[in-house]
């Protein structure tokens, strides 16, 4: 530890010092990562290839899956590598990049979930105006705003966090460069700017949560007036898991970011970080998409041998037509 912490980087303590537990953690994270990778890649592929899945809802789902894929890739592969190599060292530049992309992608995810809830509100509560309100131009602007807002949030946190003077050994009791844990390394009263930025972004996340809840309140009130019990059950089965995941993600992340920094190590900090870094990207493909009948039908179509062969022949024809030597 003395050799590592004397360098310019940081030492990530991870979950345990015991080698057996490190291997177990790496295997569990590897399985979880592969599940998240497979689920999100399938959704991105099917929503890109199937012409029947080009509505705004599936357009937003595709970007949510892309965000989830990037989000879990920021922290989990590094943690797996550290556990397998029994080396928690991370360089200063790597830590900067990890903090930036983590905050940026988390903020973008909150924003895209808010947009998706509004899309469902317009679809169910104002169906006659849906095509006008959620036209392709508006959808592109919304997605662009989502990515830009996330990038701005990541930039603010990164700039403020890494301008704070650090005191003592650069040991982070976490499996990634987590901002709340890094604040414990700050010199006394030097982290007030980061607290202000965190409070601002948390307030924005709270506004998003309120917007999501209000959207679903309107949705539920409209659904309760539907005479068909089957229709009500279908909407509730879709919306309630959405609302649970959003609330779960924001509440655990908000609690972790807003609790006052302390010098004591807590296992609860690591557990909370798993709740908002690993679980949502893994469950979102199941809750938001793979329970959708249209998505499942499109997956069967894309993965079938006939469809795969047809697309392979189509791509081969395009490549041959562009080859000037044939």
């Amino acid at each position: 530890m003395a050799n590592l912490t004397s360098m310019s980087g940081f030492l990530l303590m991870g979950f345990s010092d015991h080698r057996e537990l490190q291997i177990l953690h790496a295997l569990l994270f590897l399985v979880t990562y592969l599940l998240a990778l497979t689920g999100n890649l399938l959704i991105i592929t099917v929503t890109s290839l199937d012409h029947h899945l080009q509505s705004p809802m599936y357009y937003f789902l595709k970007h949510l899956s892309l965000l989830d894929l990037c989000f879990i890739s920021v922290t989990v592969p590094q943690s797996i590598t550290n556990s397998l190599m029994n080396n928690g060292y991370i360089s200063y530049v790597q830590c900067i990049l990890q903090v930036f992309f983590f905050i940026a992608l988390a903020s973008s995810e909150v924003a895209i979930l808010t947009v998706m809830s509004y899309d469902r509100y317009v679809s169910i509560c104002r169906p006659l105006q849906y095509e006008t309100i959620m036209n392709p131009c508006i959808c592109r602007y919304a997605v662009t705003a989502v990515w830009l807002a996330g990038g701005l949030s990541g930039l603010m946190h990164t700039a403020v966090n890494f301008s704070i003077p650090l005191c003592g050994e650069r040991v982070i009791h976490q499996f990634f460069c987590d901002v709340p844990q890094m604040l414990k390394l700050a010199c006394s009263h030097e982290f007030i700017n980061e607290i202000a930025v965190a409070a601002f972004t948390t307030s924005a996340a709270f506004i998003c949560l309120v917007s999501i809840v209000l959207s679903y309140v309107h949705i539920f009130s409209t659904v309760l007036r539907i005479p068909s019990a089957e229709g009500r059950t279908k909407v509730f089965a879709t919306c309630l898991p959405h609302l649970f995941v959003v609330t779960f993600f924001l509440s655990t992340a908000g609690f972790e970011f807003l609790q006052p920094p302390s010098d004591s190590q807590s296992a609860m900090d690591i557990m909370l970080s798993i709740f908002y870094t690993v679980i949502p990207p893994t469950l979102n493909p199941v809750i938001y998409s793979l329970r959708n009948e249209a998505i499942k039908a499109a997956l069967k179509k894309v993965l079938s041998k006939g469809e795969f062969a047809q697309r392979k022949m189509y791509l081969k024809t395009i490549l041959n037509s562009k080859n000037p030597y044939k």
Side-chain angles (χ1 to χ4, degrees):
M1 182 182 295
N3 291 335
L4 290 173
T5 55
S6 63
M7 300 174 68
S8 61
F10 299 89
L11 181 64
L12 304 176
M13 295 303 294
F15 294 91
S16 175
D17 293 331
H18 299 287
R19 188 60 184 155
E20 294 80 7
L21 293 178
Q22 289 178 343
I23 298 296
L24 178 61
H25 150 252
L27 292 176
L28 291 176
F29 262 33
L30 179 61
V31 171
T32 305
Y33 181 67
L34 291 177
L35 288 174
L37 194 71
T38 303
N40 286 295
L41 280 176
L42 283 175
I43 293 170
I44 293 172
T45 301
V46 75
T47 52
S48 299
L49 295 179
D50 197 293
H51 299 294
H52 300 290
L53 302 180
Q54 302 303 315
S55 65
M57 180 179 73
Y58 298 111
Y59 178 69
F60 296 137
L61 279 175
K62 178 167 63 176
H63 282 273
L64 175 65
S65 295
L66 180 59
L67 283 169
D68 281 335
L69 185 62
C70 297
F71 184 59
I72 197 171
S73 298
V74 170
T75 56
V76 171
Q78 178 74 46
S79 180
I80 294 172
T81 302
N82 290 347
S83 294
L84 292 177
M85 301 298 294
N86 194 23
N87 182 0
Y89 175 75
I90 183 171
S91 69
Y92 191 79
V93 174
Q94 282 179 306
C95 196
I96 290 177
L97 292 175
Q98 196 172 68
V99 168
F100 170 75
F101 284 110
F102 180 83
I103 298 295
L105 292 168
S107 302
S108 296
E109 180 139 351
V110 174
I112 195 70
L113 290 173
T114 307
V115 172
M116 289 172 65
S117 68
Y118 179 74
D119 172 72
R120 292 298 83 207
Y121 159 74
V122 177
S123 175
I124 295 174
C125 301
R126 304 172 66 180
L128 298 179
Q129 299 173 295
Y130 181 73
E131 292 186 1
T132 303
I133 296 176
M134 305 302 296
N135 62 74
C137 184
I138 294 297
C139 292
R140 286 193 295 269
Y141 285 148
V143 168
T144 302
V146 163
W147 287 94
L148 289 178
L152 180 61
S153 177
L155 188 62
M156 287 193 303
H157 273 280
T158 305
V160 172
N161 188 68
F162 286 93
S163 65
I164 300 173
L166 302 180
C167 298
E169 295 179 334
R170 298 187 176 189
V171 179
I172 300 176
H173 295 285
Q174 192 54 275
F175 64 93
F176 66 102
C177 288
D178 193 21
V179 171
Q181 294 296 322
M182 294 186 68
L183 291 180
K184 297 179 181 181
L185 309 179
C187 300
S188 179
H189 305 299
E190 294 288 347
F191 53 82
I192 187 64
N193 291 334
E194 174 60 29
I195 295 296
V197 173
F200 172 77
T201 53
T202 305
S203 300
F206 179 75
I207 293 173
C208 290
L209 177 60
V210 171
S211 302
I212 292 171
V213 171
L214 289 177
S215 296
Y216 281 116
V217 166
H218 285 291
I219 289 172
F220 294 151
S221 63
T222 302
V223 169
L224 289 174
R225 296 194 294 267
I226 297 177
S228 171
E230 183 180 354
R232 290 197 301 269
T233 303
K234 184 178 179 180
V235 174
F236 279 124
T238 303
C239 293
L240 286 177
H242 296 184
L243 191 58
F244 169 76
V245 169
V246 172
T247 306
F248 182 76
F249 175 74
L250 290 178
S251 59
T252 52
F255 181 80
E256 173 72 5
F257 271 74
L258 289 183
Q259 64 177 334
S262 64
D263 296 329
S264 60
Q265 179 183 3
S266 173
M268 183 60 66
D269 293 333
I270 295 181
M271 293 304 299
L272 284 174
S273 65
I274 293 176
F275 287 151
Y276 66 82
T277 58
V278 180
I279 294 179
T282 307
L283 292 183
N284 279 348
V286 179
I287 292 177
Y288 280 93
S289 302
L290 297 182
R291 295 175 71 249
N292 184 295
E293 294 298 328
I295 289 282
K296 289 192 289 187
L299 278 173
K300 292 179 182 179
K301 182 180 178 182
V302 171
L303 296 177
S304 64
K305 292 183 179 180
E307 181 71 14
F308 180 78
Q310 183 179 355
R311 292 184 182 278
K312 183 178 179 181
M313 183 64 67
Y314 175 71
L315 292 174
K316 185 176 180 181
T317 304
I318 294 177
L319 292 175
N320 289 336
S321 63
K322 293 183 178 181
N323 191 336
Y325 297 102
K326 289 188 176 182

